[in-house]
Amino acid sequence: MAASIHDVAKRAGVSIATVSRIINSSATVSDNKAAAVREAMEYFNYEPNQFGRGLVKQTSHMIGVYFPHSTGSIFDSDYNLELLKGMEQVLSRHNYSLVLISENDEYEKKKMAKPKFLEYVSQKRVDGLLISGLTQKSSAEEAFKQLLEEEYPMIYIGKRFHKKGYNVYAQYEVYMYKMVETLYQKNHRDILIHIWYMHKELFKNVADRIREHMPEVRIQLIISDSTGASDRKYWVENLKKYVQEEKYTAVCISGMESIGILLSASAELELHIPDDLSVIAVEHKKGQGQRSYPAIDAFYVPVFEMGAGAADLLIGCVEGQEISDHSMEFETVYIERESIKDRN
Amino acid sequence: MAASIHDVAKRAGVSIATVSRIINSSATVSDNKAAAVREAMEYFNYEPNQFGRGLVKQTSHMIGVYFPHSTGSIFDSDYNLELLKGMEQVLSRHNYSLVLISENDEYEKKKMAKPKFLEYVSQKRVDGLLISGLTQKSSAEEAFKQLLEEEYPMIYIGKRFHKKGYNVYAQYEVYMYKMVETLYQKNHRDILIHIWYMHKELFKNVADRIREHMPEVRIQLIISDSTGASDRKYWVENLKKYVQEEKYTAVCISGMESIGILLSASAELELHIPDDLSVIAVEHKKGQGQRSYPAIDAFYVPVFEMGAGAADLLIGCVEGQEISDHSMEFETVYIERESIKDRN
DNA sequence: CTGTTAGCGCATTCAA
DNA sequence: TTGAATGCGCTAACAG
C-alpha cells in the first residue's frame, strides 16, 4: 500500500492538516515544518490519493469525450483526431485528463436504460462533457437535452440547437455554400457535391440557398456512408456517369480523407484534374491539400482550434467562471491551389 | 447533490449495508427488501459514487493509455487510431474506461520530476497502463522500467525489451524483411525503403539480414520524420534521384498514410506504377491499399486486433488472473494487389 | 501558524 | 438475512 497523508505527517512530525495545507497551498505554513513535510513527501514518494480528495470535493479533474458516431466511420478519423488533439492539449495544460466514452454495443441494440455518458456524469467520474457528432436521431438525445436543462458543464461541437448550453462550430452550411460559390465564380455551372450521410438533412438548407442565389447551377449530390466512402468503384461509377456522360465539370469534397480515392478514380478513368474536372475540398488539417498532385483547393476548417476552444470553454464552465458567449464560431479560410480551372 | 446510499436506504426502510449488498450482488437479500431497494434506487436515479467506492476498493476501473510519441506525428494517425479503437472496444465491453495520458509540454523541456503517467499510477487514477510508441531514448524509460519491476499491470505494444512485463507485437523486423523479400522474388534488385525516423535503430538488424540473405540487392533508405513525410517535394526529389537517375525499381512504404503522397509525386514525374516503379506498403487498416489506383500490395498488420489483444491481456492482469504468456505475437498477412511488376 | 475533529459515500466485518 | 459500526484518505471548519 502506498504511503498516505498520515505516514507523511508522522515522519514530518506534524499533523495531517499541515500536510494537506502544503499539498494544496491552502494556507501558510512555517518554513521549517514545510521543509520537513516536503522531505517526508519525497521520502515516501507521496502522491495524494484521488479517491480521498474526490470524496471531499466531488470532482475528478477528468473530462469525458463523447463521440456518438465514431465507431467504424472513416469520416471520423481526421476530423475527430484533430478535435481530440486540440482538446487534449488544452485539457492537459490545465491538468485535466481526457476520458474516452463510447457507447458499448448494447446500448443501441438492447435499449439500455441509460446511455453511458450519463452514467459517467451521475457517478461523478467526469467533471464535464465534450461532445461531437450528435445527430438528430441519436437515441441519446433525450438524456442530452436533460443535461442541457440542468446546465451541466458541457460543450458540443456543432450547430446550436437548444436555448441553453454552449457550443463551438464552423458553420457547415456556410462553407459548403461558399465552396459552390467559389466554383461558380470560376464559371462552373454543373457541380457534384459529395456529402456524408449524416449531413443529409443539414445540407438541404444549403441546397435551397444555392438554388436561390445561383439558379442556373445544376447540382448533384453524391452521398457516402462510412462504407461507401472507402470504395473506389463507387467513385469510378459516379465519375463515369456524371462527369463523362452528363458533363459535370466540378466536384466539392467533404473532407480530404476522400481525395485519395477521388484522385485514384480519376486516374483510372484518365480524367485530368483540373482540365476535365475541377476539385475543391474541405480541409480539416492544415496543409492536407498540398500533399496531393495536383494540390487541392480547399476551405480550411480549423478543427484543432475548435477542439481547443471547446476545451477552454468547458474548463471555464467547470471552474464556475462567468461566460458571456454561449457560442464560439470559427472562420473558415479559402486556400487557393491548383485544382480549379476557370471555365472561361 | 445527488442521492447517496443513505437516501436510498432510508426510503427503502433498510440499512445502507443492505443497499450495498444489492448494488454489488455480494450477498442474498430477501425478496421484499430487495424490491424496496430497487424502487428507491429508481426513484432517486441512484448511481453509486465512484469516490466512495474507490476509497474502499482502491480501484477506479479506468485504464491509462500512454503514447509518448503521438504529438505532431502524422505517422501516428492511422496506427494509433486503430490501436485506440481496438483497446476501446475491449475495455468498454469489460466496463473499463480509457483515459488518454499525454505528456504536457513541460515534461520534456523543464525536466519535471515525474512523467505524467507515473502520477496517474501513484494517484490511483488508473488501474493499469497501455503503452505504445516507446523509444530507446524516451526520457520516461527510467520510470517505465521501475513499474515493470514492480509488476504493475501494464502492457506495451512493441518488441520485448525487459525480462518482466507483458507485450504485444507484430515483429516489425520480420515484416520489413518480408517486404523486401517479396520484391526480390519478383526479381527486383534495387529497392528503396521508406522508414520512420523513430525506427532507424530497429531497421539496422533488418538491413543486416537483407545483406546476408540477398547480397545482390542494393537498398537505399528514405527516412522521414513527422514533418518531411507530409512534404510532396521531398518525395519528388527522392524519386527523381533514385528512380529516374539511379534506376531503383521498387519501393517499400512504411504505412499507407504515405501512399497518397507517393502516388502524387509519381504522377507529377509521370512515373507509372507498377511499370516504372513497383510499390509495396504496410497496411494498418484493412482494405486501405484497395483504395488507391493502382491498388497497392501490402503486408497487413492487424493493429486493431493488437490493441484489442493488449487490452484483453491487461484486464487479465488487473483482475489478477494467472497469465501464462508474457508475449502476444501477431501474424502479418501479405495481400497481393496490382502495384508490383515482375521484372522478368 | 497549527492540531483536532467531523464527515464525504461506500464496502465490509462482526453481532445479532 | 440484517443492521451497526468501522475505516478507506482526504479537506475544511474550528479551536487554540
Side-chain angles (χ1 to χ4, degrees), chain B residues 294-318:
Chain B
I296 305 294
D297 287 59
F299 271 87
Y300 171 59
V301 179
V303 181
F304 182 93
E305 287 77 6
M306 288 167 66
D312 255 332
L313 261 183
L314 183 60
I315 289 173
C317 293
V318 167

Side-chain angles (χ1 to χ4, degrees), chain B residues 113-315:
Chain B
K114 286 189 175 189
K116 222 171 160 196
F117 71 85
L118 247 195
E119 266 185 36
Y120 280 71
V121 169
S122 26
Q123 297 181 348
K124 305 263 187 179
R125 281 178 182 280
V126 296
D127 294 345
L129 240 32
L130 250 15
I131 300 180
S132 165
L134 224 45
T135 48
Q136 276 70 14
K137 282 292 147 242
S138 161
S139 46
E141 210 196 350
E142 204 56 28
F144 182 64
K145 277 200 174 147
Q146 193 191 320
L147 285 182
L148 231 35
E149 289 291 345
E150 293 171 13
E151 311 207 9
Y152 181 80
M154 172 166 68
I155 316 284
Y156 61 94
I157 314 289
K159 203 182 163 188
R160 190 159 197 78
F161 73 91
H162 194 275
K163 59 184 188 303
K164 291 192 176 179
Y166 299 86
N167 70 323
V168 165
Y169 66 112
Q171 298 238 64
Y172 174 83
E173 302 178 19
V174 172
Y175 63 74
M176 287 306 283
Y177 178 83
K178 281 189 186 165
M179 283 172 71
V180 173
E181 194 181 46
T182 303
L183 291 167
Y184 180 83
Q185 286 161 357
K186 300 270 185 175
N187 300 296
H188 288 267
R189 295 296 177 266
D190 305 283
I191 300 175
L192 297 171
I193 304 179
H194 162 247
I195 64 170
W196 297 97
Y197 182 78
M198 65 195 75
H199 291 147
K200 235 169 68 177
E201 288 303 311
L202 215 51
F203 191 80
K204 282 185 181 157
N205 302 324
V206 183
D208 288 343
R209 279 192 60 210
I210 293 170
R211 270 190 287 273
E212 186 188 338
H213 292 99
M214 302 176 273
E216 66 274 47
V217 167
R218 183 172 58 141
I219 63 178
Q220 169 65 44
L221 294 193
I222 296 180
I223 299 175
S224 42
D225 53 21
S226 49
T227 51
S230 58
D231 194 1
R232 200 174 80 224
K233 267 190 206 158
Y234 181 74
W235 274 104
V236 168
E237 273 159 32
N238 276 308
L239 292 185
K240 211 183 275 179
K241 177 168 178 199
Y242 295 116
V243 179
Q244 295 186 325
E245 292 168 19
E246 302 190 13
K247 307 298 174 194
Y248 280 82
T249 60
V251 59
C252 302
I253 302 286
S254 277
M256 285 292 170
E257 299 91 339
S258 310
I259 285 295
I261 311 186
L262 178 73
L263 292 184
S264 286
S266 307
E268 193 167 347
L269 293 173
E270 296 182 4
L271 237 34
H272 186 268
I273 293 169
D275 293 333
D276 302 321
L277 179 65
S278 289
V279 178
I280 186 170
V282 179
E283 177 167 312
H284 295 307
K285 203 168 166 178
K286 231 169 201 165
Q288 274 178 319
Q290 200 61 49
R291 302 176 62 179
S292 308
Y293 179 79
I296 305 294
D297 287 59
F299 271 87
Y300 171 59
V301 179
V303 181
F304 182 93
E305 287 77 6
M306 288 167 66
D312 255 332
L313 261 183
L314 183 60
I315 289 173

Side-chain angles (χ1 to χ4, degrees), chain B residues 15 17-18 21 28-30 33 55-56:
Chain B
S15 74
T18 302
R21 284 177 189 116
T28 46
V29 172
S30 68
K33 298 219 175 198
L55 197 51
V56 176

